[in-house]
Structure formats: structure tokens, C-alpha cells
Amino acid sequence: MYCGIGENQGKPNVLYYDLLKCVTGTNILAAAMNGLQCPTTQVCVEKCPTEFMWAISNDSPAKVYNQEYCQPSINLTITNLTVAEIAAKELCPVFLVPSTSFFNRCFPGSNLTFPADFSINGLTGNQSKANISEAASQILDSFNFQNVGKKIFEDFAKSWPWIITALVIAMVVSLLFLILLRFTAGILVWVLIVGVIGVIGYGIYHCYMEYDTLNKQGVSVSDVGFTFNLGVYFRVKETWLAILIVLAVIEAILLLVLLFLRKRILIAIALIKEASKAIGHIMSSLFYPLVTFVLLVVCVAYWGMTALYLATSGAPIYRISTVNTSLPGCENITGNETCNPMTFSPSSSCKEARCIFQRYNNEGLFQTNLFNLQIYNVIGFLWCINFVIALGQCVLAGAFASYYWAFHKPKDIPFFPVAESFMRTLRYHTGSLAFGSLILTIVQLIRIILEYLDHKLKGAQNPCTRFLLCCLKCCFWCLEKFIKFLNRNAYIMIAVYGKNFCVSAKNAFKLLMRNIVRVVVLDKVTDLLIFFGKLIVVGGVGVLAFFFFSGRIPIPNDSFKSPALNYYWIPILTVVLGSYMIAHGFFSVYNMCVDTLFLCFLEDLERNDGSPEKPFYMSKSLMSILNKKNRPPKSEEKTKKK
């Protein structure tokens, strides 16, 4: 039964009859019934009490109590019960104090001034007004997050214009970074590569200096022996020598890669520049992640609502319980007897008995299969999530493929490439996307089962079982990564050629395997650039937000000063998380653009030869790099001229 809806429409607040029991009720049986239930009567009220009220034994119930705060089962004007009997059965509150609504629950204020004649002795176990004040303080202390929540809300209310401004700055910086990559990609890539080589070189130098110092001191690993204190090993020369050797090997590998793969790095840079140019012509693609986000929210909401409906599909079961089973006449209450809360009345032998909600009914054909239905719901949830992601990838791939295969750019690019790709994908490719999503969902479901088994077998001491589970988890993690990679490229081929999933996945895999070196180089160069871009956006905006909200930027104009905040890290954290989400959305589009153009580039190389009959569709920058790579030596050119 929920306050504010159904039969309780217009009564949004919960009133606890005896808040002292919420604090002191430690009965094991009552706690086992429901850990979040307070062992006192609760009713829905329109508004919380604003005045003091306490039961006076010699008065009539209609004068003492307010019908609004009593249970619906009692009518104060015609009841034959005395005030004491009503209080003992908790048909009406024993006492009321001025309260305020917090999370739709009535809690007493912290600074209450009790009337001089306030008394509840004899009706609630000799609880004095001092006990009520102490209980109110305990409740407010236990709900201390109320003040924290108010302060956080105040901080958001004061700083939301500046938070939005910071997020707009993050969006502008992300957009500018992607657009400027057309002109700065080559410089950035080489600067980052030289920076990585320089950092490793400094690491080699530092390790050598440490090794030389410790070698002169004569400190060796044989002097230390075996110890769990890992810090000790950094004080021996062998550790620094091993790190030096590892870094030197990595440095040598990087230098050899640069030496032999410099042409492929140039092609990767040209593709990155081309991707930036494509995004410049198809700006609407940067806002498509919002569509994906909305669809994901719909999937999550539908799954959550379905799970809640399944979990609460049975009829509620109430059990008779008592706060204290040691009271006379309450010894026989075991908590197994069912009851109806609307008609329940405590027996004369145990007036402290209560009808408390225990759980929802899990008996019957439908209820016994709830677990299977929840599993079915989880499978549908994973499938829908993967389908939405696949839809976004295929739509963007179709839009960027229309850019690459336009012979005269930007003249031949469709007017609404993203919208056309979206409609084309929904009309022709939903089956292929659903099939690819299903394969990924099956692998993810197996991983969930393995995680569940690992959780259940944590206490097992069998090393073979633990080792087998660890290997299976590792293998299926790798399989999931591989399927995501394969699906992503299959969706690109689907968007380009319109063939089914299996054929597209096969063609994409073979095409990538024939150009595996180019794939690795482009993937790592793109990852390096995207990481650097996210670092600039998130780090730059986060640092700016820190200096602004902490008041460390001197601003003479009060209109542009940071507002006085309770917790200045709240807006900073919000800005950092928001900036990361914005940067991730922008760069995910950019990454999809690079992958699409790369596959189109490889297809262009295999299908066409640059002749008038089969001209290349690639840009002039890519064509110039290929011409330089395939150009014969000067001696051969002279021979041909002769």
C-alpha cells in the first residue's frame, strides 16, 4: 500500500504512531520480517501534525484524538473503546508532535518546546518528553544526510548556470579539437610519439642512475632475501637493472616500428585528417549519440519497470508479530500466522501484537517461475542494449560511407546523410543488427553465469575449480572483445554493401587480415589521439572548474564570481563527469568515422587501380601518399623515359 496513490490519493505522507519504537525496536522476529519496517503502526496522512497531542485517559476518544491521524478501521464518534485501549492497540497515535515532511515521512523537528503539561506516562511505558526529544535527535542524526542533501541541492541551485557553461565549453573544445585535427593531426601524432619515446628514454636514464648508485653502495638482492615488503626491492640494484632492460627493449621495438612502418603511420595520419574533414561536412553526426542515449534510457527504464512488476506480482503476505515476545501473553507468537492489516485487531492476551508485511506470495505456477521470467527479462535487456549500440554504429557507418564514396566531395554527399542512413538501416538491416546483437548477448550471458558461479564458489578451497573458472572468465572476456570488434566492422560492411551479417562479417574479417599491419598502426595511432583529446577536454575543463569554484581565480566583477558553496567539489565532480560523457560521445563518433573510412579505403584499393575506368574515390592526400609509396626509383624512371 503506497501513500499518495490508489486508495490513499491525496495522502502523500507517512505518519509513524510511535517513533520511539523505530529507534529502540530491536526484536529479532520483527527485524526478520522486514529490515526496513519500523515496528509501529503507519498511516497515510494529507499533512504532518503541526500541534502537540497526547492521550488523556479520562477524556473521550473524540476529544483526545484526531480522526485524520487514526486508522480507517475506527470511528471515534461511535467507538466503545477507551482512550487507553485505543492507545494500546495503536488504533490512534499515542502522541503527536509538530513534524515536517522529509522524503514523504513525518519526522519531528529538532528544536521542540514541549508544553508544561505534556505527559504520556502510563500509556507508552513511562516515556517522558525527554525520551521523545532524545528519540527525535537520534532520528535526525540517523537521517543526517537530510542536511547534506539540502546543502548539495543548494549548491546545485547556485552553481547550475556555471555547470552548464562548463559543459558547453567542454562541447566546444571537443568540437574544435576534432575539426582542427584536419590541420594538426600530423603534428600531434608525431609530438605524441616523440613524447612517448622521450618518457621511456627518461625512464631508462633514471633506472641507470639508480642502478649505478646502488651498485656503488654494494646493495644486492641477496642481502635482502625474500620479503612481502615490495618497497625493499626498490632499494636493490637488480630491480632497477631489470626495469632498465625492459624499458630498453620497449624503446628499441618502438624505434624499429617507426623505422619500418613510417609510411603506414603517414597513411593513418591522412585517414585521421580525412575523418576530421568528413565530420566537418556531416556535423549532424556529432549529435547522433543523443539518440543512442535516449534509446538506451528507454531500454533501461523498460527493463527496470518489468523487473519491478515481476518482483511485486504476487499478493502481499502479512504476519502477526510483536516487538517484544517476552511480554505476558506474547510468548506463542512465532511470526508464522497470517493476518489482514485492514481488519486485524490485537488479541486481549497480547495487545502488542502487530500485523506486519513480510513478503509477496511466491506460491503458484506463475510465482514459482518468477526467477525464469527475470532471467528472460535480463536477456531481453542485454539484447536491446546491444541492438541500440549496433544501430548507432551502422547509422554512422552509412553516413560516413556516403561521404567516402562520393566522387565529387562535397557535391555528391547526400543532403541529410545521417537521416537517410537511419531510415535505410531501419528498413533493410534490422535483422542483421539483431542477429549480431544476439551473438554478443549470448557471450555476455555466459560471462554473467561465470561471474555468478565464481561468487558462489568463493569459499571453495579447490584450486583446480578456481583455476578453471579464472581461465573461462578470461577466455570469454577475450571472446566478447573480439566479437565486439568483429561486429563493429561487420556493421560497416552492412552499411556499405547491404549484405547479411554473416557475409559482411566474413568479408570484413578477411579484409582486415589482409591488411593487419595497417589495422594495428591505425588503431594505436587513433587510440593515442583520442586519449590525448579526452585528456585535454576533461583535464582542461576540470582544472578550470576547480580554480573557478574554489575561488582561486581573482575576478573583480561580482557577477562572474563563483557563488558561495557548501561543497565546492560537487559542481567540480559534476563538470568532470559531464565533460567526460560529452568527450566520449564526440570521440566515439570520430572513432567510428576513422574505422569506416579505413575499411572503405581498403576496399577502394582492392576494387580500383586509379585508372580512368576504375578511379580511386580516396582524397588527394591519401592518393599522394600511395603514389609516393608505389613510385619506382629514379633510375627506373630514366630508363622508361629513354
Side-chain angles (χ1 to χ4, degrees), residues 5 45 149 163 166 205 219 251 266 275 308 348 364 419 426 431 443 492 501 532 567 639:
I5 60 175
V45 295
I163 292 176
Y205 168 77
V219 182
E251 186 86 340
L266 291 175
L308 287 175
S348 57
L426 287 181
V443 176
I492 296 174
F501 176 81
F532 182 69
Y567 310 106
T639 305

Side-chain angles (χ1 to χ4, degrees), residues 268-330:
I269 293 173
L271 279 169
I272 289 170
K273 291 181 178 179
E274 194 67 19
S276 179
K277 193 184 298 183
I279 289 177
H281 289 298
I282 311 176
M283 294 293 291
S284 57
S285 62
L286 293 174
F287 301 97
Y288 185 83
L290 293 176
V291 178
T292 302
F293 176 76
V294 171
L295 293 176
L296 290 176
V297 169
V298 171
C299 292
V300 173
Y302 179 79
W303 166 78
M305 291 174 61
T306 306
L308 287 175
Y309 272 115
L310 288 174
T312 60
S313 59
I317 295 178
Y318 295 86
R319 303 283 188 183
I320 298 177
S321 176
T322 181
V323 179
N324 190 355
T325 55
S326 62
L327 293 175
C330 300

Side-chain angles (χ1 to χ4, degrees), residues 362-421:
N362 56 5
E363 299 174 357
L365 179 63
F366 180 75
Q367 280 72 26
T368 53
N369 288 283
L370 281 179
F371 181 73
N372 298 332
L373 293 173
Q374 291 284 17
I375 293 177
Y376 179 78
N377 187 33
V378 170
I379 295 174
F381 169 69
L382 293 176
W383 197 356
C384 289
I385 291 293
N386 291 325
F387 179 81
V388 169
I389 295 173
L391 177 66
Q393 292 175 346
C394 193
V395 168
L396 291 175
F400 294 127
S402 66
Y403 166 83
Y404 185 91
W405 297 111
F407 193 76
H408 300 287
K409 302 177 180 66
K411 179 183 177 182
D412 295 339
I413 301 175
F415 196 66
F416 296 108
V418 177
E420 290 184 12
S421 178

Side-chain angles (χ1 to χ4, degrees), residues 21 196 224 301 314 325 351 368 433 523 533 538 552-553 616 620:
K21 292 182 179 179
V196 171
V224 176
T325 55
K351 296 182 179 181
T368 53
L433 301 182
D523 185 59
V538 179
R552 303 191 183 190
I553 299 179
F616 286 127
K620 294 181 180 179

Side-chain angles (χ1 to χ4, degrees), residues 192-489:
L192 291 174
I193 290 175
V194 171
V196 171
I197 293 175
V199 169
I200 297 176
Y202 174 77
I204 294 173
Y205 168 77
H206 181 76
C207 291
Y208 175 77
M209 297 302 297
E210 291 287 342
Y211 170 77
D212 186 59
T213 302
L214 294 172
N215 188 37
K216 292 177 180 178
Q217 295 176 357
V219 182
S220 176
V221 70
S222 58
D223 301 327
V224 176
F226 179 77
T227 177
F228 288 103
N229 186 3
L230 299 180
V232 175
Y233 289 107
F234 287 97
R235 302 187 187 123
V236 296
K237 61 180 182 181
E238 286 83 0
T239 301
W240 293 103
L241 179 62
I243 299 175
L244 186 149
I245 293 172
V246 171
L247 291 179
V249 171
I250 295 174
E251 186 86 340
I253 292 174
L254 285 179
L255 291 174
L256 290 174
V257 166
L258 287 178
L259 181 63
F260 291 104
L261 300 180
R262 62 187 184 278
K263 292 292 184 182
R264 288 181 170 83
I265 294 176
L266 291 175
I267 293 176
I269 293 173
L271 279 169
I272 289 170
K273 291 181 178 179
E274 194 67 19
S276 179
K277 193 184 298 183
I279 289 177
H281 289 298
I282 311 176
M283 294 293 291
S284 57
S285 62
L286 293 174
F287 301 97
Y288 185 83
L290 293 176
V291 178
T292 302
F293 176 76
V294 171
L295 293 176
L296 290 176
V297 169
V298 171
C299 292
V300 173
Y302 179 79
W303 166 78
M305 291 174 61
T306 306
L308 287 175
Y309 272 115
L310 288 174
T312 60
S313 59
I317 295 178
Y318 295 86
R319 303 283 188 183
I320 298 177
S321 176
T322 181
V323 179
N324 190 355
T325 55
S326 62
L327 293 175
C330 300
E331 300 88 353
N332 297 325
I333 296 180
T334 60
N336 296 323
E337 186 179 353
T338 59
C339 59
N340 187 342
M342 301 304 296
T343 61
F344 174 76
S345 179
S347 62
S348 57
S349 59
C350 183
K351 296 182 179 181
E352 294 292 326
R354 299 288 179 268
C355 187
I356 297 178
F357 170 77
Q358 183 191 28
R359 57 181 171 82
Y360 286 96
N361 182 27
N362 56 5
E363 299 174 357
L365 179 63
F366 180 75
Q367 280 72 26
T368 53
N369 288 283
L370 281 179
F371 181 73
N372 298 332
L373 293 173
Q374 291 284 17
I375 293 177
Y376 179 78
N377 187 33
V378 170
I379 295 174
F381 169 69
L382 293 176
W383 197 356
C384 289
I385 291 293
N386 291 325
F387 179 81
V388 169
I389 295 173
L391 177 66
Q393 292 175 346
C394 193
V395 168
L396 291 175
F400 294 127
S402 66
Y403 166 83
Y404 185 91
W405 297 111
F407 193 76
H408 300 287
K409 302 177 180 66
K411 179 183 177 182
D412 295 339
I413 301 175
F415 196 66
F416 296 108
V418 177
E420 290 184 12
S421 178
F422 183 78
M423 299 305 297
R424 186 169 57 248
T425 302
L426 287 181
R427 183 177 180 182
Y428 297 109
H429 307 320
T430 50
S432 298
L433 301 182
F435 184 69
S437 304
L438 178 61
I439 296 174
L440 182 58
T441 300
I442 292 172
V443 176
Q444 291 175 339
L445 188 63
I446 295 174
R447 287 196 63 203
I448 292 174
I449 294 173
L450 290 175
E451 291 291 343
Y452 175 77
L453 292 176
D454 185 46
H455 176 73
K456 287 294 183 181
L457 298 176
K458 270 189 176 179
Q461 302 298 325
N462 191 337
C464 294
T465 305
R466 302 288 298 171
F467 175 75
L468 181 61
L469 271 177
C470 185
C471 291
L472 287 174
K473 287 168 61 178
C474 179
C475 290
F476 278 96
W477 179 83
C478 295
L479 180 61
E480 182 183 359
K481 294 295 182 183
F482 172 74
I483 289 178
K484 284 183 177 179
F485 171 78
L486 185 62
N487 283 7
R488 182 185 181 90
N489 291 280

Side-chain angles (χ1 to χ4, degrees), residues 23 51 101 108 121 126 276 337 339 380 486 576:
V23 179
E51 298 177 350
S101 178
N121 291 334
N126 297 324
S276 179
E337 186 179 353
C339 59
L486 185 62
V576 169

